Amino acid sequence: MAAAESEERALLVQRLRAAVHYAVCGLCQEVAEDKAVQFSKQSLAAIAELAFRQCETFARDLEMFARHAKRSTITTEDVKLLARRSSSLLKYITQKSEELASSNMEQKEKKKKKSSASKGGRMPREQETPVTESEDSNMA
């Protein structure tokens, strides 16, 4: 059983590595076209490997931040803590986090208004539309 799990994990890591390599190659190709430079295959592989290892480090750090706070879920505060050394990245993450929070608040307000309006004046039974299972699960 452990051998199968180990093999499955190795395949997953290999797929992730390939995805990072593909993304790095695409980004480097954009830079190459924009700056009129070329990247050797060895340099692309080195950049991809560095990016993959940095992502592994970030993932471990995020896990440790959450564990230190006695949580099992990584939050935006953990990500901000991770990005604290890059002021521009921290500023960007903070801005996006605030945008998401305000968007979530707006959606909650709309749901509240919609539910209070439907409680006040219910539609006749034959005009009501049934809630599908997917809509119901999205409301939770």
Side-chain angles (χ1 to χ4, degrees), residues 90-108:
L90 180 58
K91 183 179 175 183
Y92 179 80
I93 290 171
T94 302
Q95 176 189 355
K96 290 299 179 186
S97 174
E98 289 169 359
E99 287 175 12
L100 283 171
S102 72
S103 174
N104 287 341
M105 290 299 287
E106 288 173 8
Q107 287 179 349
K108 285 181 182 180

Side-chain angles (χ1 to χ4, degrees), residues 22-51:
Y22 180 80
V24 164
C25 288
L27 290 169
C28 287
Q29 184 177 2
E30 287 180 28
V31 170
E33 291 170 1
D34 188 43
K35 304 291 182 187
V37 295
Q38 289 186 339
F39 291 91
S40 68
K41 288 183 179 182
Q42 292 86 0
S43 63
L44 289 174
I47 294 168
E49 183 62 23
L50 286 171

Side-chain angles (χ1 to χ4, degrees), residues 44-64:
L44 289 174
I47 294 168
E49 183 62 23
L50 286 171
F52 185 80
R53 288 184 186 181
Q54 190 65 49
C55 288
E56 285 182 318
T57 302
F58 287 165
R60 277 194 300 275
D61 287 350
L62 289 169
E63 276 186 272
M64 290 298 117

Side-chain angles (χ1 to χ4, degrees), residues 2-138:
E5 288 176 10
S6 177
E7 187 176 319
E8 187 176 325
R9 179 167 166 69
L11 287 172
L12 180 61
V13 169
Q14 185 179 12
R15 287 182 59 203
L16 287 171
R17 228 179 255 281
V20 169
H21 186 80
Y22 180 80
V24 164
C25 288
L27 290 169
C28 287
Q29 184 177 2
E30 287 180 28
V31 170
E33 291 170 1
D34 188 43
K35 304 291 182 187
V37 295
Q38 289 186 339
F39 291 91
S40 68
K41 288 183 179 182
Q42 292 86 0
S43 63
L44 289 174
I47 294 168
E49 183 62 23
L50 286 171
F52 185 80
R53 288 184 186 181
Q54 190 65 49
C55 288
E56 285 182 318
T57 302
F58 287 165
R60 277 194 300 275
D61 287 350
L62 289 169
E63 276 186 272
M64 290 298 117
F65 294 157
R67 191 175 297 162
H68 179 74
K70 296 177 176 40
R71 288 184 276 107
S72 59
T73 303
I74 294 169
T75 66
T76 55
E77 294 306 311
D78 298 323
V79 177
K80 289 178 190 176
L81 184 60
L82 182 71
R84 71 192 180 281
R85 291 192 181 113
S86 171
S87 59
S88 60
L89 180 59
L90 180 58
K91 183 179 175 183
Y92 179 80
I93 290 171
T94 302
Q95 176 189 355
K96 290 299 179 186
S97 174
E98 289 169 359
E99 287 175 12
L100 283 171
S102 72
S103 174
N104 287 341
M105 290 299 287
E106 288 173 8
Q107 287 179 349
K108 285 181 182 180
E109 289 298 319
K110 286 181 183 177
K111 284 183 181 179
K112 275 186 181 178
K113 288 179 183 177
K114 192 175 183 180
S115 68
S116 64
S118 67
K119 285 180 183 176
R122 292 192 59 113
M123 296 184 300
R125 190 81 171 141
E126 58 274 1
Q127 290 181 356
E128 286 184 9
T129 56
V131 176
T132 64
E133 192 172 320
S134 63
E135 289 172 340
D136 193 27
S137 64
N138 287 337

